[in-house]
Every structure is written in C-alpha cells, then in structure tokens.
Amino acid sequence: MLIYNIGRLWGADAEGTMRLRRGAEMDCVESPEHAWLEFDPHTGLITGMGTCKAMPAPEEGDMDARGGWVFPSFCDSHTHVIYAGSREGEFRDKIDGLSYEEIARRGGGILNSADRLHEASEDELLAGAMERVEAMMRAGTGAIEIKSGYGLRTADELKMLRVAARIREMVPATVRTTFLGAHAVGREYAGRQGEYVDMVIGEMLPAVAAEGLADYVDVFCDRGFFTAEETTRILEAAARYGLRGKIHGDELAQSGGTEAAVAAGALSVDHLENAGEAQLRLLAESDTCATMLPGASFFSGLPYGPARRAADMGCILALASDYNPGSSPSGDMRMVMSLGCIKMKLSPERALNATTINGAYAMGVSDRVGALGPGREANFFMTHALPDLAYLPYAYTEPLIKGCWLRGRKV
Ligand code: NIG
Ligand code: FE
C-alpha cells in the first residue's frame, strides 16, 4: 500500500536508529516534502519511504494524499485509563476551592476510584477503558502506557492489569503496562503505610511478576503519599524481577522522587510540576526521561512543569496525557501538545518530539513507534496541508486530523 503526494512527511526517520531526542535534536523534526510512504497492510510495518523523484508507480487502491501532511501517531507514555465511574463530584469540590490534596485527605481521590473499581467486574472495566482507548486512537494516539493503581488490594491490582493485557491484545495501538500498587495506601491499611509497602513488595509484586502482567513499576512518590525511601525499596524489589521504574515524582512537592528514580535507573520520572534546577540537572545527566503532564496542571490548577528549562538543559523531555478520572480526564494528545506550547513555552518542534519519539522512549518502544521509516509500525495520522507546523498546536480545537492509521489500517 502506497500513500503518495504527501505534502510533508513529519518525523521521517530513514535510518531507523532514532530512539530519543535531546539537546539540539529536540529543536528539529525531519519533514521531507513531496514524499511517499509504503507499508505492508499484513504486517502493519513500513516498507519504504522517499520523495517524489524515486517513487514506485501507484497502483489501484493506493492513496493520493493530495498534498496533505502525515505525522507519526502520538505516543502517550502515562495514562490511568482503566477506572470505574468518574469523579465529577470532586470537580465540583475543586470549583469550590478544595485542592487535590485536601480531597485525598477527606478519603476522596484515588481511594474513591479504588472503592468503585473493587465493585466492577473485569468485563465492565474493559468496556469502559476500551471506549476511552478507541477515542484516543481516533484522536491520533498510536502507543499507550496503562497503569494499575486503583486496585490497592492484590486481587484488584491483578484485575486491572489483566484488563490492560486484554486491551493490548485487542487494539492496533502499541500498549505497555505499569504496576502502580503504591499509588495510595489501601483503606484496609489506613494508618499502616509501612505494612502496606511491605505488602506491595512481598505480595503484589511477586503476583504481578508471576503472571508477567507488567512491563514497568510505578510509585506515587510525593508529599502525603509515598516517601523516597519507600520508592527506593520498591524499585530495588522491582529490579529483582527485571522491571524498571516509571515514577510519579515532584508533583505536589520536591519529595526526593527524582533522586530515587535516577539512582535506580528508572526509565522516566513523571509530573515534575515542582521540580527545581537540581532535579532537572540530575535528569539531564541521566537517560531517565523527564515526562511532564500539562493536562494535569490545566485541570488541577497545579503549576506547569518546567519543560522549556528541561529541554534547554538537555533532558529527554516527553509530554503525556495522564488520562485519569481525578486530575486529568482527557487523553487528547493534541491538547497536550497545545498546552506544551501555550503554557510551557515549548516550540512546536519540541512539543511534537515530546509527544511522539520521546513519548515512545518513555515507554521503551522507540524502535518501533514515534517516527516514520522502514521497519517501524505504520502508525500515522493525516491533516490537510497546514501553513506551518505551528498551526497544529495553535488551532487547538480545530478538527485538523482527517484520518488515523495504526499498523497500516484506518481506525
Ligand atoms: O497522575 N498523581 C497521582 N496519580 C494520578 C491521579 C490519580 C487520581 O487522582 O485518580 C496522577 O495525576
Ligand atoms: Fe499519573
């Protein structure tokens, strides 16, 4: 299958070696003009790419892009899309002035979602999450990381991860799963946080590993949640099962999450709304990705993470949606890209790299997705010819995406 007459092919990666972008590379995106892309609809992989000079002759069934632009699908490396119910009651509380932490202290927040998830069957959870994942795919996302963390009991954490495994089998998007048992202290362990952490390490983690249900391990390391010491213990235990960390850190306060994660060789530290120079310096000197979540700042009224500074300092910067019912009820990566530009002052090129190739890096799949070239998955979306790359994040509610393909098939 050939797509020809592509006005600009964004994220073209002929070498197939581009796995992350940092420093000066973060400021540019390859975008050949008058391009074509060829893929095998059976394997879903790209087989060729080039500019009009050396183009295979179009055959019946091939597609004329009529000068439209092609982009690599977004890679959303941080989501909590499996949940039961919704939390619009807390939305009202927030309008009336309560903070995320106050809501959590009153027993709302994550514990509220855990109560509802406990009541829901695997099939009910799957149906709800699939609706969200399908909407994300139609909005241009082609790779999704999915966390547990609303179980907080072994059986319920396993239930969430089994749902994630079923989603992975069902959708053409690339899915990676993360065990987040240490998201909050489960109700049964109220006042016994140490014992809860022991249980996460001694009971949950071995069960998750035995079923092969997680690619990564996460901890909500922050003020009022888990400490840096607890995070280190969990990451050390995870390493014994060959699992790397993807840590929630420095969202509410500088709480040692970045330090613990970098020391343990984590793949990413996510949130970072309150990260300072010292944390960014550590990240810049490491291969741990700095993942920022502007949708959570927008929705929850938190400061925006220092994304521009992080990119200037040479961090591997990714942006993700944090799609969840409490702090970011949206998986729209175009909106994430726009917030990255508007609120975090990223150039459109930086925002595109942060939502594609670096997002892929932050979930360990940047050899297959996040850019377009031979051997990679045929995951892309099309727009008509735009006046400039900046138009994509600028026209932030215009329905610019005209079609999405994952593994070579239209979704
Ligand atoms: O990434 N910060 C911690 N966890 C989620 C929110 C979870 C929730 O409130 O349900 C987040 O924002
Ligand atoms: Fe999160």
Side-chain angles (χ1 to χ4, degrees), residues 252-271:
L252 308 169
Q254 284 177 19
S255 46
T258 299
E259 290 79 354
V262 171
L267 180 57
S268 70
V269 184
D270 303 31
H271 273 290

Side-chain angles (χ1 to χ4, degrees), residues 78-80 147 180 183 218 248 271 293 322 324 327:
H78 182 135
T79 85
H80 311 247
K147 299 177 191 296
L180 174 54
H183 196 194
D218 193 350
H248 280 73
H271 273 290
L293 312 167
D322 196 18
N324 78 75
S327 67

Side-chain angles (χ1 to χ4, degrees), residues 183-243:
H183 196 194
V185 175
R187 288 202 196 276
E188 291 79 3
Y189 283 80
R192 297 186 290 137
Q193 178 152 333
E195 286 172 50
Y196 183 77
V197 172
D198 291 342
M199 194 273 287
V200 168
I201 292 172
E203 185 179 306
M204 287 184 174
L205 188 55
V208 168
E211 280 192 50
L213 286 172
D215 300 303
Y216 301 104
V217 171
D218 193 350
V219 177
F220 187 7
C221 179
D222 224 311
R223 182 174 69 201
F225 290 85
F226 295 91
T227 66
E229 292 69 34
E230 289 165 338
T231 302
T232 298
R233 279 188 62 208
I234 293 170
L235 289 179
E236 282 172 356
R240 291 197 282 277
Y241 294 98
L243 299 173

Side-chain angles (χ1 to χ4, degrees), residues 65-80:
R66 296 167 198 268
W69 286 11
V70 167
F71 292 86
S73 301
F74 295 119
C75 299
D76 191 348
S77 65
H78 182 135
T79 85
H80 311 247

Side-chain angles (χ1 to χ4, degrees), residues 128-173:
M130 276 298 287
E131 264 186 46
R132 290 184 275 275
V133 168
E134 277 165 4
M136 290 167 79
M137 294 191 299
R138 286 193 301 272
T141 295
I144 309 172
E145 183 254 18
I146 303 178
K147 299 177 191 296
S148 69
Y150 294 126
L152 312 181
R153 306 169 183 202
T154 304
D156 291 340
E157 286 293 309
L158 292 173
K159 177 166 75 174
M160 284 189 82
L161 289 169
R162 288 189 194 116
V163 170
R166 285 170 71 185
I167 294 172
R168 185 174 179 152
E169 292 306 310
M170 288 167 72
V171 301

Side-chain angles (χ1 to χ4, degrees), residues 26-27 49 57 85 108 115 118 120 134 149 159 163 195 202 264 269 271 296 305 319 342 373 380 397 400 411:
M26 190 74 194
D27 294 317
M49 169 181 92
D115 292 342
H118 182 63
E134 277 165 4
K159 177 166 75 174
V163 170
E195 286 172 50
V269 184
H271 273 290
L319 298 179
I342 298 164
F380 57 89
T397 58
L400 295 174
V411 294

